[in-house]
Amino acid sequence: MTAEMVKDHPDTYQPGDQAGLSGLQARYDEQLQGTDGAVVNAVDADGKEHELFRVGATRGRPLRITLDERLQTTAERLLVNVGPASALVAIRPSTGDIVAAANGPGTNGYNMATYGQFAPGSTFKSVTSLALLRAGLTPDTVVPCTPTITVDGKTFKNYSDYPSDGIGRIPLRTALANSCNTAFISQAGKLGGRDLVDAAASLGLGVDHDLGFPAYFGNVEPPASDTEAAADMIGQGKVLASPMAMATVIASVQSGSLVVPRLVTSVDVSPPHGVDPVSKAEAASLRSMLRGVVTSGSGSLLADVPGPPVIAKTGTAEFEKDGKVLTHAWMIAAQGDLAVAAFVDEGESGSGTAGPILESFLRAVD
């Protein structure tokens, strides 16, 4: 309770009351608070009291949420020693239930897990791959992976430790497994202005819903230039997402249908109207390609995780801070009925920084 709350809402709060100050507690404070009782008495001439009116107090009603205590605790434990701001979100693809949404201490109380807004980097290539499949490519379509590619005077390159044997004309599935930036950018001309936007929507990214809690589903817009179109292909440009949104993307791939996250059980959620769902054939192709990330690509650290096969995508995204170019580190993965996104605000690489966190989570919850 704050003095401002008492001043602004004197009929609701009194000094000493307990009240939600942020997040779900603030939004559902009225439900959680309940109501006070009241008694009105009359006092006659000889000082005796007679009850005239009574309203009983009502207890607050609990807010039921989908978080799994064991998984939430595991996620928080894995982030507790991560220095930079960090987050981990886990979703059940079968239901959309968010079973973990944890923020590391580096966030300083900011809800980065469901409301952060960051370039998703190469994790977005899972969306780009869907757009390219719809444009007529197949996982085996050969594309050029070159050391660099220049678009309207801007030069793009692959990440610093990109495998040298991955350069050349390679299948699209290999370009995804190795995360070849130049190969994906080379195919930008195959897409129309809204193709990436529509592919993202099919996987739950960039379409807002009111889910009853602070949630950011990301931003994907038609590109304003060829350079922007190139950057969008690899999850930079104007593309933004939260860890929850990227967990939703790989949950949708895993389920073969658009997954809408759910945290508050009393709030009904459903897929948005006007969005073309991912087809079973498209989802199968994406799962096959994202499985290759684990078996022969940048997500190989997950290859021996016990249980069902793991699909995954790593990602890094450059950003400027205080005149320096730094890197967001991402990894998304799905195994069985669990989809996970791990994010570290400042890291070295997706596989090297976010990857071990995600790997530890999957191993711990097996």
Side-chain angles (χ1 to χ4, degrees), residues 273-296:
H273 297 294
V275 173
D276 291 332
V278 61
S279 71
K280 293 188 180 300
E282 290 167 344
S285 292
L286 289 172
R287 285 193 296 269
S288 172
M289 295 169 71
L290 291 168
R291 177 60 180 162
V293 174
V294 175
T295 58
S296 60

Side-chain angles (χ1 to χ4, degrees), residues 45 90 144 161 170 172 215 231 259-260 265 344 352 356:
D161 56 346
I170 59 177
L172 181 63
V259 171
V260 180
T265 61
V344 179

Side-chain angles (χ1 to χ4, degrees), residues 67-80 88 99-103 361 364-365:
L67 294 181
D68 180 293
E69 183 177 359
R70 181 176 70 92
L71 301 186
Q72 178 70 16
T73 301
T74 299
E76 292 175 353
R77 174 176 58 80
L78 293 173
L79 298 179
V80 72
L88 187 148
V99 291
N103 293 287
F361 182 81
V365 303

